[in-house]
Amino acid sequence: MRSAAKKTAPTPEVAADRKKQILKAAVEVFAERGFHRTRVSDIAKRAGVAYGLIYHYFESKDDVLNCVFEENWSVFLKVLRDLEANPELAAAQKLRSIAALLIDALQIAPATIQVIIQEVSRSDRFVHTEKVHAFEGAFTVVRQIIEGGQRRGELRADLSAQVGAYIFFGALETICTGFMLGHIRCSTPEEAAVVKHTVELTLLHGLLDPKGAK
Amino acid sequence: MRSAAKKTAPTPEVAADRKKQILKAAVEVFAERGFHRTRVSDIAKRAGVAYGLIYHYFESKDDVLNCVFEENWSVFLKVLRDLEANPELAAAQKLRSIAALLIDALQIAPATIQVIIQEVSRSDRFVHTEKVHAFEGAFTVVRQIIEGGQRRGELRADLSAQVGAYIFFGALETICTGFMLGHIRCSTPEEAAVVKHTVELTLLHGLLDPKGAK
Amino acid sequence: MRSAAKKTAPTPEVAADRKKQILKAAVEVFAERGFHRTRVSDIAKRAGVAYGLIYHYFESKDDVLNCVFEENWSVFLKVLRDLEANPELAAAQKLRSIAALLIDALQIAPATIQVIIQEVSRSDRFVHTEKVHAFEGAFTVVRQIIEGGQRRGELRADLSAQVGAYIFFGALETICTGFMLGHIRCSTPEEAAVVKHTVELTLLHGLLDPKGAK
Amino acid sequence: MRSAAKKTAPTPEVAADRKKQILKAAVEVFAERGFHRTRVSDIAKRAGVAYGLIYHYFESKDDVLNCVFEENWSVFLKVLRDLEANPELAAAQKLRSIAALLIDALQIAPATIQVIIQEVSRSDRFVHTEKVHAFEGAFTVVRQIIEGGQRRGELRADLSAQVGAYIFFGALETICTGFMLGHIRCSTPEEAAVVKHTVELTLLHGLLDPKGAK
DNA sequence: AATGAATGAGAGTTCATTCAT
DNA sequence: GATGAATGAACTCTCATTCAT
């Protein structure tokens, strides 16, 4: 009997779908209004589910944001770690790949990037230390890439790898912000290429023109 | 003795002082707890004044944040514009000065920098467009500096000055964030020198070691 | 037993009841303390519901008052319009009926009348123009009744129907006020009859004694 | 020495003027915004004096309203009592005079009338019982006039003088309101004459056309 | 699983009133 | 008399969370 099946079979797939459906809606409204300005009812409305259902799948509104973060950040971090561990790639190539990864992601999932950058990386950074730790994970990978490059003589050794990692990440993060504000265009492969090229020149080769005097 | 002074008793200086006193307290608690978690009463308590007095000097809690921003940002922007307009300085020197300005400011007024970076530059960015415009002002100056350097052959001409400006600012901003998180040390002149040196090498000369094989 | 009923559990009837329950409580406390002196919590307390529930059913405290007004005034207005449109009744009879309607209502729902007269018909009259319009509706009906009577030779033609309508309504309104102040008694059919009789004589026949000299 | 004189000579006339000046301003803003929506600072601004000076001349904001009321109402009441006591006038003539008094006042001091009608006669009637008593004074006079007319056979004896007094006053009050709303015109002697005529016919002679079939 | 009515703590803001000058 | 800075109680409205159905 079908209706009974409906009642009793909360198949894991269905449950996972519901959770995904809510997360997708949450990313959208967080990106549009910001986390603080988003009400739980906004998420529910966008997801097309009832108010209280959010609390079946998530512990709190904060938890929804955390899940958005963790789901995406962990994937990102895994890619980063795999890159870092790859002995066949030069440090510069690794950094190039990270930049390309982020810049390309802007075209695929701008809302997700926006939410992570804007809301998670900032809002209650000093309160939610787990997120700080997660962020540190990415910084650490980049720092290790730089340190590796320095050891192998690929990258300048006379600079702080830690500060360099911050500069590298900050540059990328602000590019994301500029994109969200509509100030930096990278929605087509051509536009993205310009951005990647500029990142390459600026961070790897330096702004100074080697042909220039002084 | 000036009896007239008695008449205008709550002298303008006192009023200005009160406003400064409240702004100072606001910066402190905003930096500690974040704007959203700060109650108006927290500001009042820290400033040692009554609740309602905040509303004597400011229109709203938002207005307090705006004032923090405007007071400091306008000064910063002025310095930037003066720098940009100085024909005697090379583009690289101008960028070096901007970086030094910010890095040194971290030691002098870390809370103010933190509030501006964290609260103003982020939260509700898309809502409060005046702030976006203010920020754009700084981006524009840096872009103009880069463009000037490109025209004069000092800086690489084959990159987007707009994207470069974002990278430059993002790098500095994230350094500020790293400092606030305690991950980047620059509280002494020596530490600051390391940071400045890394910024110089990374952004102007590039991470790649010129001696290194490609 | 209807399991479906269980599902839709907080049945629409219940929701409507809750709204009615809150409106009833609001009318009571508005009548006792006046709109401005009534706190939203007073309404909630009287209704036996939680604070925030008021805002589940109403947009604001003002909205509660508006609903009190609209629910009752629209009914009143409908009766008035039906009366006016009835070709079988003489103008005098129509006016008599309106007076009787209001005077009898005083016995049935004194608090509601009081709130409408005191709070809606007065406070902020010049701000809430929708209410003014609603009131005008009633004035218009009475004016039309008077004009109809004048055309048919039933009522004096040499007076302003507009001013007459105001006089008629003002008389009734002040009787309501006098009742609320305890100065006019019309809680029993006998007392109400005296009032109706006086209205009839004063407004229809005039205060002057036709047998009197002068 | 002049400045000393300024300091020390708060001549009674000056003080009285200041009070009048504040009262005048208060009437204006009360009429414009209503008592509750008027801030003490609004009164001060209109009067061109400082905030706290109001509290030199009045005990509270309520007290300002009371003074507006008392100053004008007592004058009105005195005229009413003199009228009532005049043995040479017929009751009808007395009522006519009262109506004319109010209608003419609308042209001279509309704001004052508006404030008294709207704010004093209503707002917190049940709280400020003194005002109720003051109002009763006027009702009593009209009731006595009616009773006198009834005794002398001038007015119908078979109606409640009390209810009649309410009707009479209510009619006038609502005419004032209609005037304030711009629905009743009586700013010129001609317009005022129409209104007076309608009051005369409606209240004294009755709406019914004596020539009309019953 | 799903719904949405119900809860109530919490926060921003207003403004009458006081008081030092 | 005159000023307006200072006070803080009061009040409305929001919204995350709970829970009966």
Side-chain angles (χ1 to χ4, degrees):
Chain A
M1 190 244 230
R2 290 193 60 79
S3 66
K6 256 197 257 170
K7 263 264 155 79
T8 55
T11 51
E13 299 86 40
V14 169
D17 283 357
R18 268 280 196 266
K19 194 161 181 175
K20 277 210 167 12
Q21 171 188 358
I22 292 170
L23 276 174
K24 187 169 170 294
V27 165
E28 288 173 22
V29 290
F30 286 164
E32 282 170 21
R33 312 175 43 100
F35 177 74
H36 274 108
R37 290 186 184 271
T38 299
R39 282 155 293 185
V40 174
S41 66
D42 291 331
I43 305 173
K45 217 172 286 165
R46 179 67 61 103
V49 301
Y51 222 127
L53 194 61
I54 308 282
Y55 289 88
H56 269 273
Y57 293 101
F58 302 92
E59 298 205 338
S60 67
K61 189 182 150 189
D62 272 3
D63 189 34
V64 178
L65 183 59
N66 285 338
C67 283
V68 171
F69 178 74
E70 274 155 28
E71 281 213 353
N72 295 282
W73 193 256
S74 60
V75 172
F76 179 58
L77 203 54
K78 174 142 185 30
V79 175
L80 250 57
R81 287 193 170 131
D82 289 349
L83 258 179
E84 196 268 327
N86 189 332
E88 301 190 359
L89 294 176
Q93 189 51 44
K94 290 175 182 174
L95 296 177
R96 250 179 233 117
S97 296
I98 294 173
L101 187 67
L102 254 174
I103 292 167
D104 291 337
L106 283 180
Q107 300 165 63
I108 300 163
T112 304
I113 306 284
Q114 177 171 349
V115 170
I116 288 180
I117 298 278
Q118 297 239 331
E119 304 301 335
V120 187
S121 84
R122 302 288 158 177
S123 53
D124 298 315
R125 189 169 237 165
F126 300 90
V127 183
H128 300 79
T129 37
E130 341 87 52
K131 281 175 210 153
V132 178
H133 289 324
F135 256 90
E136 280 174 41
F139 278 106
T140 301
V141 171
V142 174
R143 203 196 63 224
Q144 289 169 340
I145 290 174
I146 293 177
E147 286 169 349
Q150 289 176 321
R151 271 197 308 276
R152 290 194 298 277
E154 296 166 19
L155 303 184
R156 292 178 190 278
D158 56 343
L159 52 75
S160 158
Q162 170 80 348
V163 175
Y166 267 84
I167 290 174
F168 182 77
F169 248 120
L172 294 181
E173 191 210 293
T174 315
I175 286 173
C176 292
T177 303
F179 169 74
M180 288 157 207
L181 288 172
H183 295 165
I184 291 182
R185 306 201 48 88
C186 53
S187 299
T188 67
E190 292 75 30
E191 290 168 345
V194 170
V195 175
K196 289 176 196 172
H197 184 63
T198 300
V199 170
E200 158 100 28
L201 290 182
T202 305
L203 293 174
L204 295 181
H205 299 281
L207 285 169
L208 286 175
D209 191 331
K211 302 185 301 289
K214 180 173 168 126
Chain B
M1 185 250 208
R2 310 236 302 259
S3 63
K6 251 199 258 172
K7 255 279 148 87
T8 54
T11 49
E13 298 88 42
V14 169
D17 283 357
R18 268 280 193 268
K19 195 162 181 174
K20 276 209 167 18
Q21 171 189 357
I22 292 170
L23 277 175
K24 187 167 168 295
V27 166
E28 288 173 23
V29 289
F30 286 164
E32 282 170 21
R33 313 176 43 103
F35 177 75
H36 276 108
R37 290 187 183 272
T38 299
R39 284 157 293 184
V40 175
S41 66
D42 292 330
I43 305 173
K45 220 170 284 165
R46 179 68 60 102
V49 300
Y51 208 112
L53 195 61
I54 309 284
Y55 290 90
H56 204 80
Y57 291 100
F58 301 92
E59 299 207 337
S60 64
K61 189 183 152 190
D62 272 2
D63 189 35
V64 177
L65 183 59
N66 284 338
C67 283
V68 171
F69 176 74
E70 273 154 29
E71 283 213 351
N72 294 284
W73 192 257
S74 60
V75 172
F76 179 58
L77 202 55
K78 174 144 185 29
V79 175
L80 250 57
R81 289 194 169 129
D82 288 349
L83 258 179
E84 196 267 325
N86 189 334
E88 302 192 358
L89 294 176
Q93 189 51 42
K94 291 175 181 175
L95 296 178
R96 252 178 232 118
S97 297
I98 295 174
L101 188 67
L102 254 174
I103 292 166
D104 290 339
L106 283 181
Q107 300 164 63
I108 300 163
T112 304
I113 306 281
Q114 177 172 349
V115 170
I116 288 181
I117 297 277
Q118 295 239 328
E119 303 303 335
V120 187
S121 87
R122 302 287 159 178
S123 68
D124 309 327
R125 190 174 229 163
F126 301 90
V127 183
H128 299 79
T129 37
E130 339 89 53
K131 282 175 209 154
V132 178
H133 289 323
F135 260 90
E136 280 175 39
F139 278 106
T140 300
V141 171
V142 174
R143 203 196 62 223
Q144 289 168 338
I145 291 174
I146 293 177
E147 286 169 350
Q150 290 177 322
R151 270 196 307 276
R152 290 193 300 275
E154 297 167 18
L155 302 184
R156 292 180 187 277
D158 57 342
L159 51 77
S160 159
Q162 169 82 347
V163 176
Y166 267 84
I167 290 174
F168 182 78
F169 248 120
L172 295 180
E173 193 210 292
T174 314
I175 286 171
C176 292
T177 303
F179 169 74
M180 289 156 206
L181 288 173
H183 295 167
I184 291 182
R185 306 202 49 85
C186 55
S187 299
T188 67
E190 293 75 30
E191 290 168 347
V194 171
V195 175
K196 289 177 197 172
H197 184 64
T198 300
V199 170
E200 158 100 27
L201 289 182
T202 304
L203 293 175
L204 294 181
H205 299 281
L207 285 169
L208 286 176
D209 191 330
K211 303 185 302 287
K214 174 56 217 290
Chain C
M1 188 252 213
R2 310 238 302 259
S3 63
K6 254 199 256 172
K7 259 272 147 91
T8 55
T11 50
E13 298 88 40
V14 169
D17 283 357
R18 268 280 193 268
K19 195 161 181 174
K20 278 208 165 19
Q21 171 189 357
I22 291 169
L23 276 174
K24 188 167 169 295
V27 165
E28 287 173 24
V29 289
F30 286 164
E32 282 171 20
R33 312 177 43 105
F35 177 75
H36 276 108
R37 290 187 183 271
T38 299
R39 285 157 292 183
V40 175
S41 67
D42 292 332
I43 305 172
K45 220 170 285 168
R46 179 68 61 102
V49 300
Y51 204 109
L53 196 61
I54 309 283
Y55 290 88
H56 204 80
Y57 291 101
F58 302 92
E59 300 206 336
S60 65
K61 190 182 151 190
D62 272 2
D63 188 37
V64 177
L65 183 60
N66 283 340
C67 282
V68 170
F69 177 73
E70 272 154 31
E71 283 213 352
N72 294 284
W73 192 258
S74 62
V75 173
F76 179 59
L77 203 55
K78 172 139 185 37
V79 175
L80 249 59
R81 288 194 169 130
D82 288 348
L83 257 179
E84 196 268 326
N86 188 333
E88 300 191 1
L89 293 176
Q93 189 50 43
K94 292 174 182 175
L95 296 178
R96 251 179 234 118
S97 297
I98 293 172
L101 187 67
L102 254 175
I103 292 166
D104 290 338
L106 282 181
Q107 300 164 63
I108 301 163
T112 304
I113 306 281
Q114 177 172 348
V115 170
I116 288 180
I117 298 276
Q118 295 238 332
E119 304 301 338
V120 187
S121 87
R122 301 288 159 178
S123 67
D124 309 325
R125 189 174 229 164
F126 300 90
V127 182
H128 300 79
T129 37
E130 339 88 52
K131 281 175 208 153
V132 178
H133 288 324
F135 260 90
E136 279 175 40
F139 277 107
T140 302
V141 171
V142 173
R143 203 197 63 222
Q144 288 169 339
I145 291 174
I146 293 177
E147 287 170 348
Q150 290 177 321
R151 273 197 305 276
R152 291 194 298 276
E154 295 166 21
L155 302 183
R156 292 177 188 279
D158 56 343
L159 51 77
S160 159
Q162 169 80 347
V163 176
Y166 266 84
I167 291 174
F168 182 78
F169 249 119
L172 294 181
E173 193 210 289
T174 314
I175 287 172
C176 293
T177 302
F179 169 74
M180 288 156 208
L181 288 173
H183 296 165
I184 290 182
R185 306 201 48 87
C186 54
S187 299
T188 66
E190 293 74 30
E191 290 168 345
V194 170
V195 175
K196 290 176 195 172
H197 184 63
T198 299
V199 171
E200 158 101 27
L201 289 181
T202 304
L203 293 176
L204 295 180
H205 300 282
L207 285 169
L208 286 175
D209 192 332
K211 302 186 301 289
K214 191 217 138 97
Chain D
M1 191 244 228
R2 289 193 61 78
S3 66
K6 255 198 256 167
K7 262 264 154 81
T8 55
T11 52
E13 300 84 39
V14 168
D17 284 356
R18 269 281 196 263
K19 194 162 181 174
K20 277 210 165 12
Q21 170 189 358
I22 292 170
L23 276 173
K24 188 169 169 295
V27 165
E28 288 174 22
V29 290
F30 286 164
E32 282 171 20
R33 312 176 41 102
F35 177 74
H36 274 108
R37 291 186 183 271
T38 299
R39 282 156 292 185
V40 175
S41 66
D42 292 331
I43 305 172
K45 216 171 289 167
R46 180 68 60 102
V49 300
Y51 223 126
L53 193 60
I54 309 282
Y55 289 88
H56 269 275
Y57 293 101
F58 302 92
E59 300 204 336
S60 65
K61 189 182 151 189
D62 273 3
D63 188 35
V64 177
L65 183 59
N66 285 338
C67 283
V68 171
F69 179 73
E70 272 154 30
E71 280 213 354
N72 295 283
W73 193 256
S74 61
V75 172
F76 179 59
L77 201 55
K78 173 140 184 33
V79 174
L80 250 58
R81 286 193 170 130
D82 288 349
L83 258 180
E84 196 267 326
N86 188 335
E88 300 192 0
L89 293 176
Q93 190 52 42
K94 292 175 180 174
L95 296 178
R96 250 179 234 117
S97 297
I98 294 174
L101 187 67
L102 255 173
I103 291 166
D104 291 337
L106 282 181
Q107 301 164 63
I108 301 163
T112 305
I113 306 282
Q114 178 172 347
V115 171
I116 289 180
I117 298 277
Q118 295 238 331
E119 303 302 335
V120 187
S121 84
R122 302 288 158 178
S123 54
D124 299 313
R125 190 171 235 161
F126 301 91
V127 183
H128 302 78
T129 37
E130 340 85 55
K131 283 175 209 153
V132 178
H133 289 325
F135 255 90
E136 280 174 41
F139 278 107
T140 301
V141 171
V142 174
R143 202 195 64 223
Q144 288 168 340
I145 291 174
I146 293 177
E147 286 169 349
Q150 289 177 322
R151 270 197 309 277
R152 290 193 299 277
E154 296 167 20
L155 302 183
R156 293 178 187 279
D158 55 344
L159 52 77
S160 159
Q162 170 80 347
V163 176
Y166 266 86
I167 290 173
F168 182 78
F169 249 120
L172 295 180
E173 192 210 292
T174 314
I175 287 172
C176 293
T177 302
F179 169 75
M180 288 157 207
L181 288 174
H183 295 166
I184 290 182
R185 306 201 49 86
C186 53
S187 298
T188 66
E190 293 75 30
E191 289 169 346
V194 171
V195 174
K196 290 176 195 172
H197 184 62
T198 300
V199 171
E200 159 100 29
L201 289 182
T202 304
L203 293 175
L204 295 180
H205 300 281
L207 285 169
L208 286 174
D209 192 332
K211 303 186 300 287
K214 174 60 216 292

